[in-house]
Amino acid sequence: MTTPRFVIPETFIADRPIRVTVVGAGGTGSLFLSELGRLDAALRVQGHHGMDVTVFDPDTFSPANFGRQMTTQGDAGFNKAIMVVGRVNNFFGLDWRAVPEALDPVRRGIGADLIVGCVDSGKFRYQLGQSCRGVRTDALWCDFGNGSDRGQIVLGHLGTPSRGQRLPNVYDLYGQELLAGDDDDLPSCSLAEALTRQKWAINQNMATAGATLLSTLLFDGGLDAHGALVRLNPLTVSPLMIDPAVWATFGYTATTPDA
């Protein structure tokens, strides 16, 4: 067996739960949190301490979310983070936390081993990447971004790791392009209207691909690819390989921490 190009961080196998911050509990976020609950259960049955998860989202469910997100028709008007985390906790017997507010992307002391971004805002990604550029931390940042029928997942370092190869994050690879991706349209009033803007299957496929990436890191001990490009019709999941030559096509030059 060959050695993976990126080896699991020590913080993910320490004698404590993995500290995870999830930003966004909507389209992809609510479905990914369900996958994360299953992944936590799989970790614990193997003797791992599992995950200590905090979820941020200031938004409330609307009728248009039913059928697309992990919600019921009766959830309209209730906060997404509180409702989704409550369901995951009840089903898996966990005590994850919900914070019904937005996470400030420029604040310090987030204190997570892994930050998962499941928001539509390119501005949030840009500000988080810019504020953490050069900060010495081993934390990882897994970002989900998708449009109507395709999307990308990028797992990278939030800042500069203490040692080893630095994985570029979504800000490193996409930079200013992130600011051009925000959708300023008004929210959909119904599921039928929402389906004219975004294909029904994209969020589930993104959540599954992201959970698969994370499970590979945790159970196999490393990665050869640190992301994926997902497309519908035809359904394709193309890996984002850990390769400086691939990163160069995005305009990113690989770096290593100072000795």
Side-chain angles (χ1 to χ4, degrees):
M1 179 180 295
T2 59
T3 302
R5 299 187 184 186
F6 176 70
V7 178
I8 187 170
E10 292 182 1
T11 52
F12 280 49
I13 51 177
D15 191 24
R16 60 168 175 77
I18 303 169
R19 298 169 298 194
V20 182
T21 295
V22 178
V23 186
T28 300
S30 65
L31 299 172
F32 177 74
L33 282 164
S34 178
E35 300 280 358
L36 204 62
R38 295 197 302 117
L39 185 54
D40 179 273
L43 285 172
R44 291 179 187 275
V45 78
Q46 296 186 35
H48 193 282
H49 290 278
M51 304 180 197
D52 179 16
V53 179
T54 302
V55 182
F56 288 80
D57 197 318
D59 295 334
T60 57
F61 281 117
S62 74
N65 300 138
F66 178 66
R68 294 174 58 87
Q69 304 179 17
M70 200 172 77
T71 178
T72 69
Q73 291 176 323
D75 291 342
F78 290 95
N79 177 262
K80 292 182 178 182
I82 290 176
M83 298 304 290
V84 173
V85 171
R87 287 197 171 93
V88 172
N89 282 347
N90 288 336
F91 191 88
F92 292 102
L94 299 169
D95 57 355
W96 292 357
R97 292 174 296 279
V99 181
E101 60 187 51
L103 176 67
D104 182 353
V106 300
R107 82 178 199 176
R108 292 288 184 263
I110 292 175
D113 303 311
L114 172 66
I115 296 178
V116 180
C118 301
V119 296
D120 295 330
S121 172
K123 182 179 179 181
F124 174 88
R125 297 182 180 89
Y126 187 86
Q127 290 181 336
L128 179 60
Q130 211 175 37
S131 67
C132 294
R133 184 173 54 180
V135 174
R136 187 63 65 129
T137 175
D138 291 320
L140 296 179
W141 172 16
C142 183
D143 184 81
F144 293 80
N146 63 271
S148 63
D149 64 350
R150 66 192 64 197
Q152 77 282 331
I153 304 160
V154 181
L155 176 67
H157 282 102
L158 182 65
T160 302
S162 57
R163 59 182 177 275
Q165 175 69 60
R166 180 180 186 274
L167 295 182
N169 57 47
V170 68
Y171 169 81
D172 297 318
L173 298 182
Y174 288 91
Q176 291 281 344
E177 294 179 38
L178 296 172
L179 298 176
D182 284 346
D183 184 0
D184 295 326
D185 291 342
L186 293 174
S188 303
C189 296
S190 68
L191 175 59
E193 180 185 352
L195 290 173
T196 67
R197 303 183 185 185
Q198 190 175 72
K199 299 296 184 181
W200 176 84
I202 186 62
N203 296 122
Q204 183 62 68
N205 278 279
M206 293 290 291
T208 300
T212 300
L213 180 70
L214 187 56
S215 69
T216 301
L217 176 63
L218 290 167
F219 295 132
D220 294 353
L223 297 170
D224 290 315
H226 69 118
L229 305 178
V230 179
R231 179 181 177 181
L232 302 179
N233 194 27
L235 176 60
T236 55
V237 181
S238 305
L240 176 62
M241 301 305 296
I242 300 176
D243 186 343
V246 173
W247 301 335
T249 66
F250 290 86
Y252 176 80
T253 301
T255 60
T256 55
D258 297 334

